[in-house]
Amino acid sequence: MAVRNIRGLKQLCLQMPCERRNLEAIFTRWTSTSSQVHEHCKASLLKKLNAEIPEESDNVCIYRIPTKLLQVEAKAYIPRIVSIGPYHRRDQHLKETEELKLKFFHRVLKSRQEREVELDRVISAMEELEPKARSCYADDVKLSRDEFVEMMIIDGCFILQLLREVGGCCSSSPLIQRWMLPTLRRDLIKLENQLPMLVLHKLSELISDSYQCEYSTLSLQDLALKFFNPLLQRDSHVNAAGATAMNRSCHFLDLFRSSILPEIQDQDRKRQVRMIQSITELEEAGVVLEKSRNERALDVRSEGRFLKIPPLHIDDNKGTLFRNIIAFEQCHKKCKPDATAYLFFFDGLVNSADDVEILHYKGIIQHSLGSNKEAANLVNKLCREVDWDGEESYLHKVVCDDIDVYFTSRYAKLRARLVHYYFSNWVVGISTVAGLFALYLTLIQTGCGVATTLKALKENSFWSYLSDSFSLLFSRPSTPLTPKDSNKE
């Protein structure tokens, strides 16, 4: 037994140096691997650090829609029948309208006597504009210079000819079927489907208008507004393109957005710390809603407890329009989030179908969505996944300085409480009035009783009535006459 223990100890002693050498080898490999990882990581980071990262151009104005907005309503941002610009150029479902764009291109240049000379002028001008136009797109455009120039010319000629035929001399085009026009309007207003305005201005200068009609002198902005005005059911003859902001617009979406904004001074913008209450709550507190006659849809005004709102027509087209305007404001640093503030304002006003019904009765909201509930859902869904912190809100005066100050007053709170609990609908109102009338009659009856008592008190003193009442406690009750006694008498 002792011999076996001695042998085991010898073997253990022999194994220990071997295990130590294995541990040293593992540690050496780990140290070597760690240093290699360090060197590889350092080399990779140095390569990235030394690489030139392209800075965002100041001209960027056409963006890809953020993913979180696409997840809410993707179809509102993706063109359905026509592609403009590079972002959706290769979409398979838009290939059919490429032939339509070529037909409009032919109508612009093919009928001209010196079309080859004029085409050379157009190509040269677009080649000169190509770097600046390319810098208007936020994403890297995977098109060669020739492809980009060709795209600008064909898409630009298509847009200009479409505006002249539909927004200018007549209300339709022989190349456009009736069902296509509303869809074209929605496609041409989408953020990812834009051509820079500088390209359209240059093409408009180079290609003289061959149409002679009452609209032949309209500017490109005016033609565009006449074409897109049906999106908001505005008067097609409203000429609002003289504003400075619209002259600086970078594409059609920016142009249309500027046309619906009120004239706002920078000093009027302040932080809006609170959202406005719902229409039901405002009416209960005594806020008076009025339909404004202003053509600019976002020009909301207030005077004390009087709230003036321009009319708004709600349908699926408005959802597309406002979603793209919001996406543009979320991405473009140079524009204020005024449309976003307006939609958050409306989102606060409309909490239920009852709010839509009140606005509809006032003539402020018109919709074609089947029910007030669907209209309320559409309004509430427009602001989903949209970030807005209330900074520089042009509605600060309306929400905070006028309506909120009145809403928090004692009179407004008392009125709101009375209306909410006792006059919320006609049934409750009738019950309340009936209860008040019954109380009134009770008070009259009580008053008459008191008056009669006071008259009796004038004839006898109060102490005599009091002594008589106490004497009744000790007096013997009189024996009533029985029928038998009465017969005896």
Side-chain angles (χ1 to χ4, degrees):
M1 188 71 177
V3 175
R4 290 181 181 177
N5 292 335
I6 293 172
R7 290 178 180 176
L9 289 172
K10 289 182 178 179
Q11 291 178 358
L12 183 62
C13 291
L14 291 173
Q15 288 177 0
M16 286 181 62
C18 182
E19 290 180 357
R20 183 177 179 181
R21 287 194 300 271
N22 291 338
L23 290 174
E24 290 177 353
I26 292 172
F27 178 75
T28 303
R29 286 198 300 270
W30 178 83
T31 306
S32 176
T33 304
S34 178
S35 61
Q36 289 176 358
V37 169
H38 178 84
E39 292 299 326
H40 287 317
C41 184
K42 180 180 178 181
S44 177
L45 291 175
L46 282 175
K47 184 178 179 180
K48 290 180 172 60
L49 190 62
N50 295 329
E52 294 185 2
I53 299 178
E55 296 182 359
E56 185 176 291
S57 171
D58 292 336
N59 299 326
V60 171
C61 59
I62 303 173
Y63 305 86
R64 287 284 192 179
I65 303 297
T67 304
K68 64 177 184 177
L69 298 182
L70 282 174
Q71 291 173 347
V72 176
E73 194 73 24
K75 67 178 183 180
Y77 309 101
I78 300 173
R80 300 188 65 182
I81 62 174
V82 66
S83 167
I84 300 296
Y87 286 164
H88 295 276
R89 183 177 174 83
R90 293 185 172 87
D91 290 3
Q92 291 299 319
H93 71 284
L94 304 176
K95 292 296 183 182
E96 296 180 2
T97 51
E98 291 300 314
E99 184 179 348
L100 177 65
K101 292 196 292 186
L102 289 177
K103 289 179 180 179
F104 276 92
F105 172 67
H106 282 202
R107 288 172 71 86
V108 173
L109 292 174
K110 192 173 183 179
S111 60
R112 302 178 185 275
Q113 295 179 353
E114 299 180 354
R115 61 185 180 187
E116 188 171 343
V117 176
E118 194 160 4
L119 184 59
D120 285 335
R121 290 173 52 232
V122 170
I123 293 175
S124 299
M126 291 299 104
E127 286 177 340
E128 185 177 348
L129 272 180
E130 185 265 340
K132 191 172 182 180
R134 188 185 288 266
S135 67
C136 292
Y137 294 91
D139 282 17
D140 186 24
V141 178
K142 305 296 183 182
L143 293 177
S144 65
R145 190 178 184 191
D146 294 343
E147 291 175 328
F148 194 87
V149 170
E150 181 179 327
M151 176 204 70
M152 287 193 294
I153 295 173
I154 294 178
D155 289 358
C157 288
F158 163 70
I159 291 173
L160 290 176
Q161 190 66 17
L162 179 65
L163 295 184
R164 287 168 178 171
E165 293 187 9
V166 177
C169 296
C170 54
S171 59
S172 62
S173 169
L175 299 178
I176 299 294
Q177 298 178 18
R178 188 171 299 163
W179 67 268
M180 296 174 64
L181 192 55
T183 309
L184 279 174
R185 284 195 180 96
R186 293 195 296 272
D187 279 357
L188 294 180
I189 207 70
K190 293 177 180 177
L191 178 57
E192 291 186 350
N193 214 34
Q194 297 296 314
L195 205 61
M197 192 66 81
L198 59 94
V199 174
L200 296 173
H201 275 299
K202 192 63 178 179
L203 282 174
S204 181
E205 293 173 4
L206 296 172
I207 302 170
S208 59
D209 190 2
S210 60
Y211 292 96
Q212 299 297 325
C213 63
E214 59 176 315
Y215 300 109
S216 59
T217 59
L218 289 180
S219 65
L220 175 61
Q221 287 96 331
D222 291 328
L223 285 173
L225 288 178
K226 283 181 61 61
F227 178 78
F228 290 112
N229 274 337
L231 290 173
L232 280 182
Q233 281 80 35
R234 294 194 302 182
D235 185 358
S236 60
H237 298 287
V238 172
N239 184 359
T244 305
M246 281 182 273
N247 291 331
R248 294 198 305 262
S249 56
C250 47
H251 45 67
F252 284 156
L253 180 62
D254 188 22
L255 172 69
F256 196 82
R257 171 187 171 273
S258 300
S259 73
I260 63 178
L261 289 177
E263 296 292 338
I264 308 169
Q265 303 297 328
D266 288 339
Q267 60 267 22
D268 295 335
R269 301 177 186 274
K270 295 181 181 179
R271 177 170 174 77
Q272 182 183 321
V273 295
R274 286 182 291 274
M275 298 294 293
I276 196 165
Q277 295 78 13
S278 69
I279 287 294
T280 302
E281 294 174 310
L282 293 178
E283 280 220 321
E284 290 176 350
V287 174
V288 180
L289 296 174
E290 294 181 359
K291 176 184 175 183
S292 173
R293 299 296 179 182
N294 201 317
E295 290 290 343
R296 293 177 178 261
L298 275 61
D299 194 4
V300 180
R301 298 179 183 272
S302 63
E303 296 176 4
R305 67 188 184 100
F306 293 88
L307 182 59
K308 300 179 181 180
I309 306 175
L312 178 65
H313 298 266
I314 297 179
D315 55 25
D316 289 332
N317 299 344
K318 306 306 177 301
T320 297
L321 173 65
F322 283 116
R323 288 181 195 281
N324 281 272
I325 291 177
I326 289 176
F328 177 59
E329 291 184 347
Q330 293 281 296
C331 298
H332 198 53
K333 301 175 183 176
K334 296 181 181 179
C335 68
K336 305 294 185 181
D338 294 329
T340 306
Y342 170 79
L343 289 175
F344 270 94
F345 169 80
F346 241 101
D347 186 34
L349 288 179
V350 177
N351 284 348
S352 65
D354 294 335
D355 296 325
V356 175
E357 183 177 356
I358 295 173
L359 290 170
H360 176 73
Y361 176 75
K362 297 288 185 179
I364 296 173
I365 278 185
Q366 302 292 333
H367 69 86
S368 57
L369 296 175
S371 68
N372 292 333
K373 184 177 180 180
E374 290 185 22
N377 289 337
L378 176 60
V379 171
N380 298 146
K381 197 175 178 182
L382 287 175
C383 297
R384 190 175 300 173
E385 294 296 335
V386 177
D387 298 323
W388 182 66
D389 55 5
E391 294 288 347
E392 299 182 313
S393 172
Y394 81 101
L395 291 171
H396 172 272
K397 178 183 181 299
V398 174
V399 177
C400 299
D401 291 349
D402 289 339
I403 302 301
D404 193 63
V405 170
Y406 168 76
F407 188 82
T408 54
S409 65
R410 290 184 179 180
Y411 167 77
K413 289 181 177 179
L414 178 60
R415 188 185 189 280
R417 193 173 294 112
L418 290 174
V419 171
H420 181 76
Y421 289 107
Y422 301 108
F423 296 96
S424 57
N425 56 58
W426 67 272
V427 176
V428 177
I430 290 176
S431 302
T432 303
V433 171
L436 291 173
F437 186 67
L439 179 62
Y440 171 72
L441 294 178
T442 303
L443 290 175
I444 291 178
Q445 184 180 11
T446 303
C448 292
V450 170
T452 304
T453 303
L454 290 175
K455 184 178 180 181
L457 286 174
K458 289 180 180 179
E459 299 176 358
N460 300 294
S461 64
F462 172 75
W463 296 108
S464 64
Y465 282 105
L466 187 62
S467 61
D468 289 343
S469 63
F470 275 103
S471 65
L472 288 175
L473 296 175
F474 304 100
S475 64
R476 184 176 180 180
S478 61
T479 305
L481 294 175
T482 61
K484 184 177 180 180
D485 294 337
S486 61
N487 291 333
K488 288 181 179 181
E489 291 179 358

